Amino acid sequence: MAASIPNTLSRPPLSSIPPSKNPLSLLSPKSLRFPRNPSSKFATASMSIEAPQKSTKPSFLDRKESSSVLRFVKYHGLGNDFIMVDNRESMEPKVTPQQAAKLCDRNFGVGADGVIFAMPGTNGTDYTMRIFNSDGSEPEMCGNGVRCFARFIAELENLDGIQSFTIHTGAGLIVPEIQPLSRTFQVKVDMGEPVLAAPKVPTKLLANNNGAVVQAELPVDGLTWMVTCVSMGNPHCVTFGPKNSEALQVDDLKLDVVGPKFEHHEMFPSRTNTEFVQVFSRSHLKMRVWERGAGATLACGTGACAVVVAAVLEGQSERTCIVDLPGGPLEIEWREEDNHVYMTGPAEVVFYGSLPL
């Protein structure tokens, strides 16, 4: 028969332990709460933790900004996104091309396709627009960017209702009309006349249609592509596909492979933007774009304008078309009576911010 073993592990009650040796005495009495039911089989003590004392130092969010901080607003037009900078007090951009490239980096910066500066007007215009691409280069113009520019100005100047003003750009005079009554804040822009003369696009391809390059052959990546060249203040090469091929399916393109080969082709001394186009109907086109200095983007306003001009010249479309881009549709009209191209599309705020330079 097993012998009974005395309980040598039993402990004295806490009340019999001297306070100096009682570990719970190290806690403030106020921080201890005992169960209200003392007869509970598993009576335990629980502790409440007091909130930390707030520092009297100001939060980093409350610190005053120094002169080396850049304030900006980020906008996008159909996913083509821009860092907008209020530069109305100076014709000198607040950031350098190198700084702009860093700001546009989507991993180490804000992330954008370009930085746009709203500057004082020149040559009698209301404002001047300059832009640095995500690689630091400076293009003449940007169609989606000018719509974002128009909305930015409307917010800076607290403009209400339908408004129109003039903008000086590297591509010449641009006149946007903001239409804030629509849900998506549409902006209609008079993009001016397309430039078709080959040397002014510029392209080294030989003119074959009253000084223009229309459906000319261009060897790229082992294929002969049929291209039409248009300038909307910046150079564009528009193609509906390779020679003697079936209708182009733009979603099947390896844009990151073929795009740079067009951009840096020897036939384009200033490099070029390239639009690859699929025809749904005479009033509905679809395009993908490889932008000079920015690569594949979700939208290109000047590119959509160039596409409709090229489609009309090639007999592929009417003068008014919906152009589908990866970021959404634009309405483009190449008006016969004044030879101007009109672009209508949205411009939307993404966020407001500031950062040290």
Side-chain angles (χ1 to χ4, degrees):
M1 184 170 62
S4 61
I5 301 175
N7 184 2
T8 59
L9 299 178
S10 59
R11 297 175 180 174
L14 289 175
S15 59
S16 67
I17 301 176
S20 61
K21 296 184 179 181
N22 186 344
L24 295 182
S25 69
L26 300 177
L27 299 172
S28 167
K30 293 183 179 180
S31 68
L32 291 176
R33 293 199 303 267
F34 291 92
R36 293 184 178 180
N37 182 6
S39 63
S40 171
K41 184 178 180 181
F42 301 103
T44 58
S46 62
M47 292 182 291
S48 64
I49 300 175
E50 297 180 358
Q53 294 292 325
K54 290 185 178 181
S55 171
T56 57
K57 295 181 180 179
S59 162
F60 75 96
L61 292 173
D62 299 326
R63 293 174 186 168
K64 292 184 178 180
E65 295 178 349
S66 68
S67 58
S68 61
V69 169
L70 177 74
R71 297 176 63 85
F72 66 90
V73 186
K74 185 173 176 179
Y75 288 78
H76 81 88
L78 299 179
N80 199 191
D81 54 348
F82 305 94
I83 298 167
M84 311 295 299
V85 178
D86 182 5
N87 218 114
R88 289 174 297 167
E89 75 286 355
S90 172
M91 294 300 292
E92 183 68 25
K94 289 185 177 180
V95 301
T96 66
Q98 294 75 23
Q99 289 173 318
K102 291 181 179 179
L103 292 176
C104 290
D105 190 290
R106 297 189 184 278
N107 296 108
F108 298 100
V110 176
D113 292 319
V115 179
I116 294 178
F117 306 91
M119 294 178 162
T122 54
N123 299 328
T125 60
D126 297 315
Y127 305 97
T128 296
M129 169 180 156
R130 287 185 65 183
I131 177 171
F132 292 151
N133 282 327
S134 58
D135 69 350
S137 61
E138 183 172 1
E140 302 86 350
M141 230 297 273
C142 175
N144 288 314
V146 80
R147 294 200 317 277
C148 293
F149 184 99
R151 181 164 184 184
F152 185 46
I153 291 296
E155 293 200 357
L156 288 174
E157 304 284 11
N158 293 314
L159 301 179
D160 293 322
I162 296 176
Q163 300 283 341
S164 183
F165 41 83
T166 56
I167 302 173
H168 174 75
T169 74
L173 176 67
I174 299 295
V175 184
E177 179 184 271
I178 57 175
Q179 302 170 336
L181 297 179
S182 64
R183 189 171 67 88
T184 56
F185 208 105
Q186 297 284 306
V187 180
K188 184 175 184 178
V189 184
D190 178 353
M191 301 289 287
E193 298 186 53
V195 175
L196 301 175
K200 293 183 178 181
V201 170
T203 178
K204 295 180 181 179
L205 289 168
L206 296 178
N208 58 6
N209 188 325
N210 296 321
V213 175
V214 180
Q215 287 186 303
E217 296 184 1
L218 181 71
V220 179
D221 201 25
L223 294 174
T224 299
W225 295 76
M226 306 305 295
V227 303
T228 295
C229 298
V230 180
S231 172
M232 291 303 306
N234 54 353
H236 293 271
C237 172
V238 180
T239 179
F240 292 82
K243 183 178 181 179
N244 299 325
S245 67
E246 296 181 358
L248 188 62
Q249 303 296 309
V250 295
D251 289 337
D252 295 338
L253 285 171
K254 294 182 179 179
L255 198 57
D256 58 336
V257 174
V258 70
K261 295 178 181 179
F262 275 86
E263 177 184 356
H264 298 281
H265 199 286
E266 63 182 356
M267 289 293 102
F268 304 109
S270 299
R271 297 189 292 164
T272 190
N273 303 281
T274 309
E275 289 76 35
F276 302 87
V277 191
Q278 182 175 343
V279 179
F280 290 146
S281 72
R282 293 186 60 80
S283 61
H284 189 186
L285 308 173
K286 181 178 182 177
M287 64 170 263
R288 291 181 68 191
V289 60
W290 182 268
E291 290 198 54
R292 178 187 60 166
T297 62
L298 294 177
C300 177
T302 55
C305 294
V307 160
V308 172
V309 171
V312 171
L313 291 174
E314 293 191 21
Q316 303 263 20
S317 78
E318 306 297 338
R319 285 181 169 264
T320 299
C321 285
I322 296 297
V323 181
D324 287 343
L325 302 98
L330 288 173
E331 180 183 329
I332 308 296
E333 178 190 5
W334 185 15
R335 196 171 292 174
E336 192 166 11
E337 52 264 37
D338 62 4
N339 197 39
H340 284 217
V341 181
Y342 295 84
M343 169 190 63
T344 303
E348 300 183 48
V349 175
V350 182
F351 61 83
Y352 302 80
S354 62
L355 48 80
L357 292 176

